[in-house]
Amino acid sequence: MGEQVEISIHKALKAFEKREVTVAQEVIREDHHVDEMEEKIDDTVVKLIATQQPVATDLRKILMAMKIASDLERIADHATNIAESVVYMETGKQMDLN
């Protein structure tokens, strides 16, 4: 997940620097992958808590994994926002994901 977010940031910044709409559109289209990864991590955390009943250190580690996933997803959203700005600056249109 972290690697995908890093790639998205680099692509979004490249798109912004070089005004590359196609790269920006790619970042926007790929955002759902990070969303899906966060959802999968959240589901796994819930299952672990429900079935394993972790305590103390283990519980903190599990909850931290969920927090990190949430933070990474938000960073990916920022990369998407940058990419959307590039599309708008260059085309005058907002990219429709539907």
Side-chain angles (χ1 to χ4, degrees):
M1 182 176 186
E3 183 179 349
Q4 180 62 46
V5 171
E6 185 177 1
I7 290 168
S8 294
I9 292 167
H10 285 291
K11 284 182 179 180
L13 294 175
K14 177 185 173 191
F16 182 77
E17 180 183 341
K18 303 207 185 247
R19 304 294 195 254
E20 293 184 11
V21 173
T22 55
V23 175
Q25 290 169 332
E26 188 177 318
V27 171
I28 296 165
R29 281 191 304 271
E30 292 174 354
D31 182 57
H32 76 280
H33 294 299
V34 175
D35 296 340
E36 290 170 357
M37 285 185 249
E38 181 195 20
E39 189 174 319
K40 185 175 181 180
I41 290 169
D42 288 351
D43 290 346
T44 302
V45 166
V46 169
K47 286 178 187 174
L48 278 172
I49 291 172
T51 62
Q52 303 298 315
Q53 299 178 349
V55 294
T57 304
D58 291 337
L59 181 59
R60 282 192 289 278
K61 287 178 183 177
I62 291 168
L63 293 175
M64 188 55 59
M66 195 161 105
K67 172 84 170 102
I68 290 168
S70 175
D71 290 344
L72 287 172
E73 190 277 330
R74 187 67 194 120
I75 293 168
D77 286 345
H78 287 301
T80 299
N81 292 342
I82 293 168
E84 288 170 344
S85 295
V86 171
V87 172
Y88 184 75
M89 286 187 308
E90 294 302 307
T91 67
K93 299 176 185 174
Q94 293 182 344
M95 187 169 167
D96 185 14
L97 296 176
N98 298 324

Tab-separated table of all heavy atoms in Angstrom, residues 23-51:
chain	number	residue	atom	x	y	z
A	23	VAL	N	-0.920	11.448	-17.458
A	23	VAL	CA	-0.364	10.917	-16.210
A	23	VAL	C	-1.299	11.267	-15.050
A	23	VAL	O	-1.552	10.436	-14.174
A	23	VAL	CB	1.061	11.457	-15.957
A	23	VAL	CG1	1.584	11.014	-14.601
A	23	VAL	CG2	2.014	11.017	-17.063
A	24	ALA	N	-1.821	12.477	-15.049
A	24	ALA	CA	-2.759	12.889	-14.011
A	24	ALA	C	-4.008	12.009	-14.023
A	24	ALA	O	-4.490	11.578	-12.969
A	24	ALA	CB	-3.140	14.354	-14.205
A	25	GLN	N	-4.513	11.721	-15.194
A	25	GLN	CA	-5.699	10.871	-15.305
A	25	GLN	C	-5.414	9.459	-14.793
A	25	GLN	O	-6.271	8.821	-14.187
A	25	GLN	CB	-6.185	10.829	-16.753
A	25	GLN	CG	-6.779	12.144	-17.199
A	25	GLN	CD	-7.029	12.214	-18.693
A	25	GLN	OE1	-6.356	11.568	-19.485
A	25	GLN	NE2	-8.014	13.015	-19.082
A	26	GLU	N	-4.206	8.990	-15.006
A	26	GLU	CA	-3.804	7.674	-14.515
A	26	GLU	C	-3.828	7.644	-12.981
A	26	GLU	O	-4.324	6.689	-12.380
A	26	GLU	CB	-2.397	7.362	-15.038
A	26	GLU	CG	-1.910	5.977	-14.788
A	26	GLU	CD	-0.535	5.750	-15.418
A	26	GLU	OE1	-0.294	6.192	-16.563
A	26	GLU	OE2	0.295	5.138	-14.730
A	27	VAL	N	-3.317	8.697	-12.356
A	27	VAL	CA	-3.326	8.789	-10.894
A	27	VAL	C	-4.767	8.746	-10.380
A	27	VAL	O	-5.083	8.032	-9.426
A	27	VAL	CB	-2.625	10.078	-10.414
A	27	VAL	CG1	-2.827	10.281	-8.915
A	27	VAL	CG2	-1.144	10.049	-10.754
A	28	ILE	N	-5.630	9.488	-11.025
A	28	ILE	CA	-7.036	9.543	-10.609
A	28	ILE	C	-7.699	8.178	-10.744
A	28	ILE	O	-8.399	7.721	-9.834
A	28	ILE	CB	-7.789	10.613	-11.425
A	28	ILE	CG1	-7.214	12.007	-11.113
A	28	ILE	CG2	-9.286	10.557	-11.150
A	28	ILE	CD1	-7.623	13.090	-12.097
A	29	ARG	N	-7.464	7.519	-11.866
A	29	ARG	CA	-8.072	6.199	-12.096
A	29	ARG	C	-7.566	5.145	-11.107
A	29	ARG	O	-8.299	4.229	-10.739
A	29	ARG	CB	-7.815	5.734	-13.526
A	29	ARG	CG	-8.718	6.368	-14.558
A	29	ARG	CD	-8.598	5.660	-15.896
A	29	ARG	NE	-7.228	5.627	-16.392
A	29	ARG	CZ	-6.654	6.563	-17.150
A	29	ARG	NH1	-7.344	7.618	-17.515
A	29	ARG	NH2	-5.413	6.437	-17.562
A	30	GLU	N	-6.316	5.246	-10.693
A	30	GLU	CA	-5.710	4.238	-9.825
A	30	GLU	C	-6.004	4.455	-8.338
A	30	GLU	O	-5.683	3.599	-7.517
A	30	GLU	CB	-4.195	4.197	-10.043
A	30	GLU	CG	-3.819	3.673	-11.416
A	30	GLU	CD	-2.335	3.752	-11.700
A	30	GLU	OE1	-1.581	4.331	-10.877
A	30	GLU	OE2	-1.917	3.240	-12.747
A	31	ASP	N	-6.625	5.561	-7.982
A	31	ASP	CA	-6.879	5.871	-6.575
A	31	ASP	C	-7.712	4.797	-5.883
A	31	ASP	O	-7.520	4.518	-4.698
A	31	ASP	CB	-7.560	7.233	-6.455
A	31	ASP	CG	-7.794	7.626	-5.011
A	31	ASP	OD1	-6.826	7.676	-4.227
A	31	ASP	OD2	-8.970	7.863	-4.653
A	32	HIS	N	-8.617	4.174	-6.617
A	32	HIS	CA	-9.484	3.175	-5.985
A	32	HIS	C	-8.708	1.963	-5.464
A	32	HIS	O	-9.150	1.294	-4.542
A	32	HIS	CB	-10.603	2.734	-6.936
A	32	HIS	CG	-10.152	1.792	-8.012
A	32	HIS	ND1	-9.522	2.223	-9.144
A	32	HIS	CD2	-10.231	0.449	-8.090
A	32	HIS	CE1	-9.226	1.172	-9.895
A	32	HIS	NE2	-9.643	0.078	-9.286
A	33	HIS	N	-7.520	1.697	-6.023
A	33	HIS	CA	-6.710	0.568	-5.540
A	33	HIS	C	-6.305	0.786	-4.075
A	33	HIS	O	-6.371	-0.139	-3.264
A	33	HIS	CB	-5.455	0.365	-6.388
A	33	HIS	CG	-5.720	-0.069	-7.789
A	33	HIS	ND1	-6.368	-1.235	-8.105
A	33	HIS	CD2	-5.441	0.537	-8.971
A	33	HIS	CE1	-6.466	-1.350	-9.421
A	33	HIS	NE2	-5.913	-0.281	-9.969
A	34	VAL	N	-5.886	2.002	-3.768
A	34	VAL	CA	-5.489	2.321	-2.398
A	34	VAL	C	-6.709	2.265	-1.482
A	34	VAL	O	-6.626	1.763	-0.358
A	34	VAL	CB	-4.793	3.700	-2.331
A	34	VAL	CG1	-4.496	4.091	-0.884
A	34	VAL	CG2	-3.509	3.692	-3.147
A	35	ASP	N	-7.843	2.756	-1.957
A	35	ASP	CA	-9.079	2.687	-1.172
A	35	ASP	C	-9.423	1.233	-0.833
A	35	ASP	O	-9.804	0.922	0.301
A	35	ASP	CB	-10.248	3.324	-1.925
A	35	ASP	CG	-10.057	4.813	-2.170
A	35	ASP	OD1	-9.237	5.439	-1.465
A	35	ASP	OD2	-10.725	5.348	-3.077
A	36	GLU	N	-9.279	0.356	-1.816
A	36	GLU	CA	-9.573	-1.058	-1.603
A	36	GLU	C	-8.605	-1.689	-0.607
A	36	GLU	O	-9.007	-2.511	0.223
A	36	GLU	CB	-9.529	-1.814	-2.933
A	36	GLU	CG	-10.672	-1.477	-3.856
A	36	GLU	CD	-10.499	-2.042	-5.260
A	36	GLU	OE1	-9.439	-2.665	-5.545
A	36	GLU	OE2	-11.409	-1.844	-6.084
A	37	MET	N	-7.322	-1.296	-0.676
A	37	MET	CA	-6.340	-1.827	0.267
A	37	MET	C	-6.670	-1.396	1.691
A	37	MET	O	-6.576	-2.205	2.628
A	37	MET	CB	-4.931	-1.378	-0.112
A	37	MET	CG	-4.363	-2.101	-1.310
A	37	MET	SD	-2.654	-1.611	-1.611
A	37	MET	CE	-2.854	-0.698	-3.132
A	38	GLU	N	-7.066	-0.131	1.865
A	38	GLU	CA	-7.429	0.331	3.202
A	38	GLU	C	-8.629	-0.450	3.729
A	38	GLU	O	-8.653	-0.876	4.892
A	38	GLU	CB	-7.757	1.822	3.197
A	38	GLU	CG	-8.122	2.308	4.599
A	38	GLU	CD	-8.791	3.663	4.641
A	38	GLU	OE1	-9.333	4.113	3.621
A	38	GLU	OE2	-8.794	4.252	5.734
A	39	GLU	N	-9.610	-0.658	2.884
A	39	GLU	CA	-10.797	-1.402	3.297
A	39	GLU	C	-10.429	-2.838	3.707
A	39	GLU	O	-10.936	-3.355	4.707
A	39	GLU	CB	-11.820	-1.423	2.161
A	39	GLU	CG	-13.158	-1.985	2.559
A	39	GLU	CD	-14.187	-1.863	1.453
A	39	GLU	OE1	-14.230	-0.822	0.777
A	39	GLU	OE2	-14.945	-2.835	1.267
A	40	LYS	N	-9.542	-3.453	2.943
A	40	LYS	CA	-9.116	-4.819	3.263
A	40	LYS	C	-8.386	-4.861	4.609
A	40	LYS	O	-8.607	-5.771	5.418
A	40	LYS	CB	-8.224	-5.362	2.145
A	40	LYS	CG	-7.840	-6.800	2.314
A	40	LYS	CD	-7.057	-7.316	1.113
A	40	LYS	CE	-6.698	-8.771	1.310
A	40	LYS	NZ	-5.934	-9.311	0.186
A	41	ILE	N	-7.533	-3.879	4.853
A	41	ILE	CA	-6.815	-3.817	6.130
A	41	ILE	C	-7.797	-3.612	7.273
A	41	ILE	O	-7.717	-4.278	8.311
A	41	ILE	CB	-5.735	-2.720	6.099
A	41	ILE	CG1	-4.597	-3.146	5.169
A	41	ILE	CG2	-5.217	-2.411	7.514
A	41	ILE	CD1	-3.610	-2.060	4.837
A	42	ASP	N	-8.742	-2.698	7.097
A	42	ASP	CA	-9.755	-2.470	8.130
A	42	ASP	C	-10.537	-3.744	8.434
A	42	ASP	O	-10.779	-4.079	9.600
A	42	ASP	CB	-10.719	-1.355	7.714
A	42	ASP	CG	-10.092	0.028	7.763
A	42	ASP	OD1	-8.968	0.168	8.283
A	42	ASP	OD2	-10.741	0.979	7.269
A	43	ASP	N	-10.934	-4.451	7.394
A	43	ASP	CA	-11.673	-5.707	7.584
A	43	ASP	C	-10.835	-6.735	8.341
A	43	ASP	O	-11.333	-7.436	9.228
A	43	ASP	CB	-12.115	-6.292	6.233
A	43	ASP	CG	-13.199	-5.489	5.560
A	43	ASP	OD1	-13.823	-4.627	6.222
A	43	ASP	OD2	-13.423	-5.707	4.346
A	44	THR	N	-9.564	-6.825	7.989
A	44	THR	CA	-8.663	-7.763	8.654
A	44	THR	C	-8.502	-7.410	10.130
A	44	THR	O	-8.516	-8.299	10.997
A	44	THR	CB	-7.291	-7.791	7.956
A	44	THR	OG1	-7.470	-8.155	6.585
A	44	THR	CG2	-6.342	-8.758	8.631
A	45	VAL	N	-8.369	-6.125	10.427
A	45	VAL	CA	-8.237	-5.680	11.815
A	45	VAL	C	-9.481	-6.048	12.619
A	45	VAL	O	-9.387	-6.577	13.728
A	45	VAL	CB	-7.952	-4.163	11.884
A	45	VAL	CG1	-8.148	-3.632	13.303
A	45	VAL	CG2	-6.550	-3.863	11.390
A	46	VAL	N	-10.644	-5.793	12.048
A	46	VAL	CA	-11.887	-6.123	12.737
A	46	VAL	C	-11.975	-7.624	13.011
A	46	VAL	O	-12.322	-8.047	14.125
A	46	VAL	CB	-13.112	-5.627	11.929
A	46	VAL	CG1	-14.407	-6.196	12.486
A	46	VAL	CG2	-13.158	-4.112	11.901
A	47	LYS	N	-11.623	-8.436	12.019
A	47	LYS	CA	-11.648	-9.888	12.206
A	47	LYS	C	-10.660	-10.334	13.289
A	47	LYS	O	-10.975	-11.197	14.104
A	47	LYS	CB	-11.338	-10.602	10.890
A	47	LYS	CG	-12.474	-10.566	9.903
A	47	LYS	CD	-12.089	-11.254	8.607
A	47	LYS	CE	-13.166	-11.062	7.554
A	47	LYS	NZ	-12.777	-11.587	6.245
A	48	LEU	N	-9.458	-9.740	13.278
A	48	LEU	CA	-8.454	-10.103	14.287
A	48	LEU	C	-8.938	-9.754	15.691
A	48	LEU	O	-8.790	-10.549	16.622
A	48	LEU	CB	-7.135	-9.387	14.005
A	48	LEU	CG	-6.233	-10.012	12.965
A	48	LEU	CD1	-5.065	-9.082	12.649
A	48	LEU	CD2	-5.720	-11.361	13.435
A	49	ILE	N	-9.503	-8.585	15.836
A	49	ILE	CA	-9.988	-8.167	17.149
A	49	ILE	C	-11.135	-9.072	17.606
A	49	ILE	O	-11.182	-9.496	18.764
A	49	ILE	CB	-10.405	-6.687	17.138
A	49	ILE	CG1	-9.153	-5.803	16.984
A	49	ILE	CG2	-11.171	-6.319	18.403
A	49	ILE	CD1	-9.444	-4.340	16.758
A	50	ALA	N	-12.037	-9.383	16.689
A	50	ALA	CA	-13.199	-10.204	17.043
A	50	ALA	C	-12.835	-11.649	17.349
A	50	ALA	O	-13.402	-12.253	18.256
A	50	ALA	CB	-14.222	-10.153	15.911
A	51	THR	N	-11.896	-12.201	16.597
A	51	THR	CA	-11.608	-13.633	16.742
A	51	THR	C	-10.435	-13.948	17.663
A	51	THR	O	-10.416	-14.996	18.301
A	51	THR	CB	-11.348	-14.288	15.370
A	51	THR	OG1	-10.205	-13.675	14.775
A	51	THR	CG2	-12.555	-14.170	14.469
